[in-house]
Amino acid sequence: MSSSSLSNPALSTPFICHNLRLNQNTKDGINCFPSLRRHRVPRCAVDMPYGGNAPTFPRIRVWDPYKRLGISPYASEEEIWSSRNFLLEQYAGHERSEESIEAAFEKLLMASFQHRKKTKINLKSRLKKKVEESPPWIKNLLNFVELPPMEVIFRRLFLFAFMGGWSIMNSSEGGPAFQVAVSLAACIYFLHEKTKSLGRAFVIGLGALATGWICDSIFVPMIPTVLIHPTWTLELLTSLVAYAFLFLACTFLK
């Protein structure tokens, strides 16, 4: 080795590393270049752990959905929704955590739906049992009542509610005699469709109208005047009660 290479530090370092063996381990190579010990290779997004830097849900493998969401078995639907939304917000970005939270939430929703369905069936069976155990006169009375489809109920409710609103809007111009007549005709028409007897439809319709007028004359005077609009007359209130009885008669009576 020449004296010039020893005296020149820039030439000495490459000369020493040139004499390293090819099979020398990485540790020796790093010791040769101290600057490499401070250098770290940057990691790309593929090398990041699953879910990135998002926190991992600690109860992913908990089987019980209530325990997984951290709620009581007696929790309401509002509490279930609140817990689900809170956990999804807290562990957003981690796919496995989000899937675990959603799976537990769906299990609880299905369980709640099944419970409501069973409760509804139990209520129907209990009501049917109560009717069967009731006295004969109650059974005969219930034979005149039926429950139509909800679509029919809402259509007829809209019709008589419209008649009531029309009567209120025209209360300052005149009485609701025309609206009452139209409502009575509609009630008789609906009853005739079910009973196929015009006479029976007339009797039930007129009976419902008379019952509404009688109930109105009895109960309306008991209502405090503070609760009644100043422009509403007794005739208008009577017609509103009559609309209610006509709706019940043509919708639920056979």
Side-chain angles (χ1 to χ4, degrees), residues 124-212:
K124 287 184 177 180
S125 60
R126 290 177 183 176
L127 181 60
K128 185 177 180 181
K129 185 177 180 181
K130 290 291 184 180
V131 171
E132 292 176 353
E133 295 176 354
S134 59
W137 66 273
I138 295 181
K139 293 181 180 180
N140 295 331
L141 183 63
L142 292 176
N143 289 332
F144 293 98
V145 180
E146 67 176 359
L147 184 63
M150 294 301 298
E151 183 181 359
V152 175
I153 295 176
F154 283 121
R155 284 180 180 177
R156 296 179 184 178
L157 179 62
F158 175 78
L159 172 62
F160 288 97
F162 174 77
M163 290 297 174
W166 188 9
S167 300
I168 294 173
M169 292 176 61
N170 295 338
S171 59
S172 59
E173 299 178 0
F178 177 74
Q179 291 86 348
V180 173
V182 173
S183 300
L184 177 61
C187 178
I188 294 174
Y189 172 77
F190 292 140
L191 288 170
H192 177 62
E193 280 189 340
K194 291 192 296 184
T195 60
K196 305 302 180 182
S197 173
L198 188 59
R200 182 182 176 87
F202 264 106
V203 171
I204 296 176
L206 292 175
L209 181 62
T211 305

Side-chain angles (χ1 to χ4, degrees), residues 71-116:
I71 56 178
S72 169
Y74 305 100
S76 62
E77 287 193 13
E78 294 181 359
E79 294 174 342
I80 296 174
W81 275 95
S82 299
S83 177
R84 175 252 187 191
N85 295 336
F86 172 76
L87 292 176
L88 286 180
E89 183 179 356
Q90 187 175 5
Y91 298 99
H94 194 272
E95 186 175 357
R96 290 182 59 192
S97 299
E98 293 177 350
E99 290 177 353
S100 177
I101 295 168
E102 288 287 2
F105 174 72
E106 291 174 0
K107 285 182 180 179
L108 294 181
L109 279 189
M110 290 300 299
S112 177
F113 173 75
Q114 294 293 338
H115 176 70
R116 289 199 303 267

